[in-house]
Amino acid sequence: MTESLNVLEIGGGVSAAYAARLLGDHGANVVKVEPPGGDPARARGPFPNDEVDREKSGLFLALNLNKRSVCLDLAEPVERNKLQALIRWADIVVHSLQAEQALELGLDRDTISTARAELVVLSMMPFGMSGPYSGFAAEELTIAHAGGWPSLCPMTHTEPEYAPLKVHGHHCGLMAGIAGAMAALAVYRDARRSGVGDYIDFSVQEYVASVLEFGIHIYSYHDFVITRLNVRSTIPWRIFAAKDGPIFLVCIEQDQWERLVEFMGKPEWTQIETFLEPSGRAQNQDMVNMFLEEFISEWNVFDLYHAAQKYRICFAPVMTFPQIAENEHLRERGFFTTVDGAATGPVEFMAPAVIASEGRAPIRRAAPRLGEHTDAVLQDIQPAGKVSASDDAMLPLAGIRIIDLTWAWAGTFCSMNLAHLGADVIHIESESRPDLYRRGGGAPEGVEPSLNTNGMFNQWNQGKRSVAVDLRTDRGIELVKELVAHADVVVQNFATGVMARLGLGYEELKVIKPGIIMANISGYGQSGPYREYMGYGPSTGPLSGLSSATGYPGGGPEETGVAMPDPTAGITAAWSVVSALTRRQETGVGEHLDITLWESTSALTVEGWMEYAFNGTQAERIGNRDPLMSPHGCFPCEGEDEWVTLACADDVQWQALCRVIPGLSDDPRFASLGGRKEHEDDLDAVISDWTQSRDRWAITRQLQALGMAAFPSFTCADIVEDPHLNERGFIERLEHPEVGARAHTGIPWRLTKRANGVRMPAPCLGGHTDAVLGGVLGYSDEEIVKLREQGVLN
């Protein structure tokens, strides 16, 4: 795409920066406005040789590829006038400004609606721009815990003294940035047609809360709060110690366990009746894990990995960043790219996560030096061309039809987000081979179990229609092809090669519909030496480097609790579909997209990778702590398993904290940041003594009043019942025909000029078969009845 799309980025924060970076990868001309001191990310590092230099921060460099930098002191009226010229130039503005800051700069809803009705504004804020918490201070730690992820992480320690655990880096902010970029580009796509822009109020907390896997529906459907202290019901599922390092193993389904038994040579213990079925293994998991540990301990990690994957057994090494850098599969797939920066020289970055028909998105510019392009940009900018406004602004993807051939979380999450944007998503499934999540049972008490009553399915398939087609029949395959002829996008996440064997590969589909966009989501991708390996979300955390860098201080690598690589790949795929649809508007050309759980997740391990790229070292596991802040952690509060987070960002906040917590100011060990880091265990003990007799909300309000980032560590029950999330309309309670009105998480952004909210609950199996075959394909009632009699529709 040419640089005809102009994007302006204002404010700090990882989410806004990454959203703008992705728009730059799409081909937009992105200008970043920085204050005289530079974006705060310039001060975070990691730095080459650990020498602080604001032009060499690894975090900043990775988040700001494909951008130009303009330095403005917005306290000066003249400089604000220059900003107004940039706003008039932009097609999309991405910002992370508090409401009062946005008002001062003319970036509030009312001003934009009057002055630039066609402009798309994406506000990326921790808690959104409305609601009781909208003014709260927040760091990555705050958002992770406010979103509920750490309450489920790592799910490997049943001891209550282990605090809810934040994963390494800025994973929450980065994955929210993908969703923000997707929403902004989708709205822009409709704004070009209608002349009506929009103000997108995006909440990073809501995005994190929207990807809690099983947690929300278990509470909503069964009134049970699952936490990191609960034991898993699927066994095996854990990190084991091989001869030369850690390796992860999971067997999700019975046939995978049976293949594992065969691979191990059918040892006698596996034939004990207790271990034959999943329930028996779950009830005796200590014994199962003990026997498996004995077997695994005799292997080297990568020998076991490759040997077992030939049996389609889901082993995955707990890979370090040096191992990732050397990996043959990622190298062959071109996942690394060298960028020559003015301050750093050549540095190897992880490339954009999606492979399209012509390869990965190019890196056209190194990250800019502070103010590098100020004069050139301000001299050349021209106001954006006006688009005649109409009164028919629609949901961003209204009129787009998606054929959804997905069956597990990554794929279903992708297509659900496209439905949230207004697409007509038609989920193809059948009673003979129902969606994985329909098979899980789990009906609420008092509800007759059926294929329509599982909360996992109903959470991740909101807003879709269901057509029951048996793909084992030739006529069923023909029906899918007929639907493709009336569609814009096909999304699938079968194992690599399955679609081609069904006669539904991209080469076949583009003959039917030359402009079709096909998104393939898989563990390892459509190419490369590991392309046929089995990969799940739980195994990708270890594979991606995330587990190797996540864990309690002094402890080993940990799982991520939630299988976050699944929705991460899903939202990456949804972003890539919106990007491809936008390109197709200009070129008429379709797209073949290859998205992997591995690369989508690894792409967000920015700080860990950059530490390796600069210094050849592996990221340290520091739990809820932070390299540059102290205190920074999750502390026990009054009540059973209740916790609060606090992040002290600077010396001003430290002095304020000293006035609140007795004894801090009197201890010379804590007088400086260096001292606090050196004695962090002792400091955390002092703070824990203070917090554990206090209410988590009382602490939160007291510290937020001082401007300090503090917030309770939310459980899934907290998410569902939270007044802020309910006031913002994030918790949906649509009436479902079999389970009634159950709470589900909804859409993490609010539009100003377009409709909000999930449009319909998840469908019953085949609930829209007649409507789709009749309305889309023009079949008569008699023809549909005949197809049912032939067993094509079931």
Side-chain angles (χ1 to χ4, degrees), residues 39 74 113 126 168 172 179 181 217-218 234-235 256 294 305 344 366 399 428 450 460 628 662 689 767 777 791:
D39 186 310
L74 296 179
S113 180
H168 178 264
C172 295
H217 83 259
I218 287 178
T234 300
I235 301 297
Q256 296 164 17
E294 290 178 1
Y305 172 50
T344 61
I428 306 295
S450 78
W460 307 120
L628 300 179
D689 286 343
L777 300 183

Side-chain angles (χ1 to χ4, degrees), residues 1-2 192 579-591:
M1 179 180 175
T2 61
R192 285 201 299 180
S579 177
L581 285 168
T582 308
R583 286 194 298 272
R584 195 181 70 177
Q585 275 190 323
E586 298 181 353
T587 66
V589 177
E591 194 70 89

Side-chain angles (χ1 to χ4, degrees), residues 10 89 101 110 117 168 258 298-299 349 352 369 379 469 493 513 517 537 550 567 595 640 757 760 764 789:
I10 309 170
W89 161 86
Q101 295 174 295
D110 291 342
H168 178 264
E258 292 168 359
E298 297 299 317
W299 288 79
F349 292 83
R369 288 170 290 149
Q379 287 171 7
V469 177
N493 68 327
K513 184 70 176 287
I517 295 165
T550 295
I595 303 98
E640 183 179 354
M760 55 187 176
C764 292
E789 292 173 346

Side-chain angles (χ1 to χ4, degrees), residues 307-325:
Q309 281 284 356
K310 291 178 182 177
Y311 282 71
R312 299 284 294 163
I313 301 166
C314 194
F315 275 98
V318 179
M319 294 184 73
T320 62
F321 291 103
Q323 290 170 329
I324 288 171

Side-chain angles (χ1 to χ4, degrees), residues 216-217 219-221 459 462 720-721 726 731-734 740-745:
I216 298 297
H217 83 259
Y219 175 70
S220 176
Y221 281 55
Q459 172 64 60
Q462 297 174 90
V720 172
E721 307 298 344
N726 280 276
I731 303 299
E732 296 277 3
R733 294 178 174 83
L734 299 178
R742 303 276 167 177
H744 298 91
T745 54

Side-chain angles (χ1 to χ4, degrees), residues 8-11 33 72-77 79-88 93 95-109 111-112 115 119 199:
L8 180 65
E9 177 197 337
I10 309 170
V33 174
L72 297 177
D73 184 355
L74 296 179
E76 298 295 329
E79 302 284 84
R80 289 195 185 193
N81 289 337
K82 295 175 182 177
L83 177 66
Q84 291 305 312
L86 286 166
I87 294 171
R88 290 191 293 272
V93 174
H95 78 76
S96 55
L97 305 170
Q98 290 282 1
E100 60 272 18
Q101 295 174 295
L103 180 62
E104 290 175 5
L105 297 176
L107 275 170
D108 58 291
R109 285 188 183 90
T111 301
I112 292 300
L119 183 64
Y199 205 105

